[in-house]
């Protein structure tokens, strides 16, 4: 009996102990769970909807620009030029600098490597530019101003530290292009030309070069405009410089490097920028590839570029001027005929209007220049001409532009002085007769004409561009020999009439054609009010 009681007590004690232990275990578990839940709740309240970030495996991205850089960069070269500048010449260059030239900066510049080296009183000038290989045999396109006057031209490939001496094959100042060649003793990588006529405003544009000495620099932007002329003034303007404009970042040193399309083809050769501060301001200009191809092909064939000319100068006249001369659908009003040139020999005259070439209508001067310049020397062109409103068919033989305009520069002449007391006030100008003494002083050799002695600001004449000291030779195709002629012509005109002045203006050396008298056609529609 005693054993049974002892056993029961033991079992109760064991059960109590078990219950106590079980209670402790449950308490610990519950405490852990509750504590973990509290901590988890605290953590989730920081950013309950956040997802942890994951670092991806490294993968080569398919980037078109990177592919272009890899393919084209080995074909873009760094061009170093050296020339010896004598002190007197150097002073003249320094004195000729004008603050306004900051508006137009060429990309390469002197002293990019620091001060010039002194050479026994002379200076060694080192300049830097870019270029692009266009032929595996080492032919490189660049700018004329990059190699102009250089005594030594050296080329460094982007992937090769070796400097190669380069030979200048030929240059063309009219388009600011040049072809040079290196002998690398091996075929070189080159970049293909694209068709600049296919380029549209808004297309991608990519520039590669050595701006400010930083080699293999690639920038991107878009084509901002086409057919852009740079407002560099008459002294620097070139008939054949119409550029692609881009906002791709380009600076000094990019000059001569390629402008590319999104396929990595050359669509232009970077040539100039406009900048008020000298750095990139989003206005870059490249000579279109279709022009580059034509220049390149002529240079590698003959070492120079030959363009056709018919020996005339002209101004793109406005519609009022063309209507007065009988041309209702466009045309080119001849300003001057070059003495002894093709047009003079063919019988063309000043104030003739060329309306077609070989049966193709000519709307403006750009169309005329494009056809004539591309015509081989000696080619005969059939011109449709209006003379005094009557149609004529004339033939002219194309001459060499360089030969035709060789003798255009003349000597400085004094400005016209005011004339006799007989004057006439018409169109907002005061005109006076010219005496024989004044004609001799002015070296004015044409017959007739009256001199403008003043222009009223805001008048009709002021609006169309007449200035003091102009000589008026004709109004609406009527020759003017005296102030009475001006008075009579003005009396027959009414408000709304088309009026064309043929004006002779003394062109100083800054106009790029010496100081000979230039003929201008200034036209407009006469407003009401008499002036």
């Amino acid at each position: 009996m005693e054993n049974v009681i002892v056993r029961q007590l033991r079992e109760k004690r064991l059960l109590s102990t078990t219950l106590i232990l079980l209670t402790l275990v449950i308490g610990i578990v519950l405490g852990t769970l509750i504590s973990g839940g509290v901590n988890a709740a605290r953590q989730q309240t920081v950013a309950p909807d956040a997802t942890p970030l994951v670092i991806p495996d490294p993968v080569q991205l398919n980037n078109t620009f990177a592919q272009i850089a890899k393919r084209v960069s080995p074909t873009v070269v760094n061009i170093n030029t050296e020339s010896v500048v004598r002190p007197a010449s150097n002073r003249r260059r320094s004195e000729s600098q004008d603050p306004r030239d900051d508006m137009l900066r060429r990309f390469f510049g002197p002293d990019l490597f620091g001060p010039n080296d002194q050479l026994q009183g002379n200076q060694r000038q080192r300049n830097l530019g870019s270029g692009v290989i266009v032929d595996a045999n080492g032919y490189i396109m660049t700018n004329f101003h990059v190699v102009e006057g250089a005594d030594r031209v050296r080329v460094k490939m982007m992937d090769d530290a070796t400097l190669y001496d380069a030979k200048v094959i030929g240059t063309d100042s009219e388009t600011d292009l040049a072809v040079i060649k290196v002998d690398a003793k091996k075929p070189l990588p080159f970049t293909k030309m694209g068709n600049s006529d296919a380029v549209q405003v808004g297309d991608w544009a990519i520039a590669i070069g050595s701006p400010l000495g930083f080699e293999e620099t690639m920038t991107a932007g878009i084509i901002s405009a086409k057919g852009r002329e740079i407002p560099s003034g008459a002294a620097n303007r070139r008939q054949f410089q119409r550029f692609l404009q881009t906002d791709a970042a380009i600076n000094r040193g990019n000059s001569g490097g390629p402008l590319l399309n999104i396929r990595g083809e050359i669509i232009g050769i970077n040539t100039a920028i406009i900048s008020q501060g000298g750095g990139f301001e989003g206005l870059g200009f490249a000579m279109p590839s279709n022009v580059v191809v034509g220049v390149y092909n002529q240079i590698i064939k003959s070492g120079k570029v030959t363009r056709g000319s018919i020996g005339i100068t002209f101004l793109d006249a406005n519609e009022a001027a063309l209507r007065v001369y009988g041309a209702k659908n466009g045309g080119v009003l001849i300003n001057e005929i070059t003495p002894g040139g093709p047009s003079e020999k063919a019988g063309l005259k000043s104030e003739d209007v060329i309306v077609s070439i070989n049966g193709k209508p000519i709307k403006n001067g750009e169309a005329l220049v494009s056809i004539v310049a591309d015509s081989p020397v000696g080619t005969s062109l059939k011109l449709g001409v209006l003379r005094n409103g009557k149609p004529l068919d004339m033939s002219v033989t194309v001459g060499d532009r360089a030969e035709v305009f060789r003798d255009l520069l003349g000597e400085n002449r004094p400005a016209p002085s005011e004339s006799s007391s007989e004057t006439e006030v018409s169109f907002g100008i005061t005109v006076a007769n010219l005496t024989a003494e004044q004609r001799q002083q002015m070296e004015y050799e044409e017959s007739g004409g009256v001199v403008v002695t003043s222009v009223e600001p805001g008048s009709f004449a002021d609006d169309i561009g007449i200035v003091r000291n102009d000589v008026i030779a004709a109004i609406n195709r009527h020759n003017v020999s005296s102030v009475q002629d001006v008075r009579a012509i003005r009396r027959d005109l009414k408000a709304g009439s088309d009026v064309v002045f043929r004006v002779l203006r003394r062109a100083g050396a800054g106009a790029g054609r010496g100081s000979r008298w230039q003929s201008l056609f200034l036209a407009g529609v006469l407003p009401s009010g008499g002036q």
Side-chain angles (χ1 to χ4, degrees):
M1 188 68 176
E2 183 179 356
N3 290 335
V4 172
I5 293 173
V6 171
R7 187 171 61 251
Q8 289 178 347
L9 291 172
R10 288 178 179 173
E11 291 175 353
K12 288 180 180 181
R13 190 179 293 120
L14 179 60
L15 180 60
S16 298
T17 302
T18 302
L19 290 173
I20 293 171
L21 293 173
L22 182 60
T23 301
L24 290 172
V25 170
I26 292 173
I28 292 171
V29 171
L30 289 175
T32 302
L33 291 175
I34 292 171
S35 175
V38 170
N39 290 335
R42 287 178 179 174
Q43 292 176 357
Q44 288 300 319
T45 56
V46 175
D49 58 345
T51 302
L53 298 178
V54 177
I55 299 175
D57 294 333
V59 177
Q60 184 66 48
L61 300 178
N62 183 14
N63 187 306
T64 300
F65 289 101
Q67 293 175 1
I68 291 173
K70 184 177 181 179
R71 184 173 72 252
V72 177
S73 288
T75 74
V76 180
V77 301
N78 181 291
I79 299 178
N80 298 271
T81 65
E82 293 183 4
S83 56
V84 176
V85 182
R86 301 183 186 279
S89 174
N90 196 44
R91 282 198 302 272
R92 285 195 299 271
R93 291 188 180 188
S94 176
E95 291 169 358
S96 68
Q97 292 177 354
D98 189 314
R100 292 172 297 179
D101 291 342
D102 288 340
M103 288 291 292
L104 177 60
R105 298 276 184 168
R106 297 296 189 182
F107 295 159
F108 90 114
D111 309 328
L112 205 62
F113 300 101
N116 290 331
D117 297 331
Q118 297 295 326
L119 289 177
Q120 297 179 351
N122 294 332
Q123 290 183 322
R124 185 182 300 279
Q125 181 171 292
R126 291 176 174 151
N127 297 322
L128 175 68
S130 300
V132 58
I133 304 171
V134 295
D135 185 287
N137 290 323
Y139 289 92
I140 298 168
M141 284 302 310
T142 186
N143 282 137
F144 167 63
H145 73 259
V146 170
V147 299
E148 181 182 10
D151 297 310
R152 187 180 188 185
V153 179
R154 295 193 294 175
V155 169
K156 184 171 73 171
M157 310 296 172
M158 293 294 189
D159 58 351
D160 187 348
T162 304
L163 280 174
Y164 296 91
D165 280 307
K167 177 183 178 182
V168 177
I169 303 300
T171 64
D172 179 37
S173 62
E174 295 274 14
T175 55
D176 200 1
L177 294 172
V179 179
I180 63 176
K181 184 181 186 297
V182 296
D183 184 8
K185 308 298 183 183
K186 62 180 179 181
L188 296 174
F190 64 93
T191 296
K192 294 182 178 180
M193 304 299 297
N195 189 328
S196 55
D197 287 347
V199 173
Q200 300 183 57
V201 174
D203 284 352
W204 280 109
I206 303 162
I208 302 180
S210 303
L212 303 175
F214 292 93
E215 300 176 7
E216 280 189 270
T217 296
M218 178 178 180
T219 57
I222 63 170
I223 297 296
S224 305
K226 297 177 62 177
R228 186 71 82 194
E229 293 186 38
I230 297 178
S232 55
N236 297 319
R237 185 180 179 276
R238 293 289 185 269
Q239 180 70 58
F240 302 96
Q241 289 188 358
R242 288 180 171 82
F243 298 97
L244 295 176
Q245 180 182 325
T246 180
D247 66 348
I250 44 183
N251 288 282
R252 190 179 62 182
N254 275 108
S255 195
L259 188 70
L260 310 164
N261 60 22
I262 198 64
R263 292 186 295 273
E265 300 168 333
I266 301 170
I267 55 172
I269 296 297
N270 297 320
T271 302
I273 62 174
I274 286 181
S275 171
Q276 293 183 341
F280 169 69
E281 294 184 15
L283 293 171
F285 301 89
M287 184 57 60
S289 60
N290 288 16
V291 175
V292 174
V293 168
V295 170
Y296 176 85
N297 287 341
Q298 286 202 54
I299 287 177
I300 63 172
K301 179 180 180 180
S302 60
K304 64 177 183 178
V305 177
T306 301
R307 293 185 175 88
S309 172
I310 58 174
I312 65 171
T313 63
F314 62 86
L315 297 174
D316 277 331
N318 60 26
E319 293 181 1
L322 291 173
R323 285 195 296 265
V324 167
Y325 285 87
K328 299 179 180 179
N329 298 309
V332 176
L333 181 60
I334 295 179
N335 186 3
E336 293 179 303
I337 304 291
T338 304
S343 289
E344 185 182 65
K345 294 176 181 177
L348 286 164
K349 297 181 178 180
S350 176
E351 299 185 73
D352 284 348
V353 182
I354 299 175
V355 294
S356 67
I357 298 180
N358 291 341
K360 180 179 179 180
I362 298 299
K363 299 294 185 181
N364 51 45
E366 183 177 351
L368 182 143
V369 169
S370 177
I371 293 175
V372 173
D374 290 341
S375 299
V377 175
T379 301
S380 179
L381 299 178
K382 294 182 179 180
L383 305 183
V385 176
L386 292 177
R387 178 176 295 170
N388 298 322
K390 298 180 180 179
L392 296 173
D393 291 325
M394 309 184 75
S395 294
V396 60
T397 300
V398 177
D400 186 333
R401 177 180 171 84
E403 296 294 331
V404 170
F405 292 107
R406 184 182 300 277
D407 299 321
L408 276 184
L409 297 180
E411 297 179 355
N412 292 328
R413 294 183 172 94
S417 60
E418 295 188 13
S419 185
S420 65
S421 58
E422 186 176 10
T423 61
E424 168 68 14
V425 179
S426 297
F427 306 103
I429 55 175
T430 302
V431 295
N433 292 326
L434 288 167
T435 67
E437 181 181 355
Q438 289 167 341
R439 291 176 186 276
Q440 183 177 7
Q441 178 187 0
M442 295 158 48
E443 297 186 38
Y444 178 74
E445 299 174 354
E446 290 207 17
S447 60
V450 294
V451 65
V452 177
T453 58
S454 66
V455 180
E456 180 181 340
S459 65
F460 169 70
D462 187 30
D463 288 342
I464 65 174
I466 294 177
V467 300
R468 182 177 180 273
N469 289 332
D470 279 350
V471 175
I472 297 176
I475 303 175
N476 279 10
R477 296 163 47 197
H478 298 292
N479 291 334
V480 170
S481 298
S482 66
V483 295
Q484 292 92 338
D485 293 336
V486 177
R487 186 181 300 123
I489 294 170
R490 175 66 187 87
R491 187 168 51 242
D492 293 336
L493 294 173
K494 299 178 180 179
S497 297
D498 295 325
V499 184
V500 181
F501 290 81
R502 186 168 78 87
V503 171
L504 296 170
R505 180 173 296 169
R506 185 177 63 87
R513 298 184 56 207
S515 302
R516 64 198 307 268
W517 288 89
Q518 291 182 303
S519 178
L520 307 174
F521 291 94
L522 305 177
V525 178
L526 192 66
S528 59
Q531 290 289 343

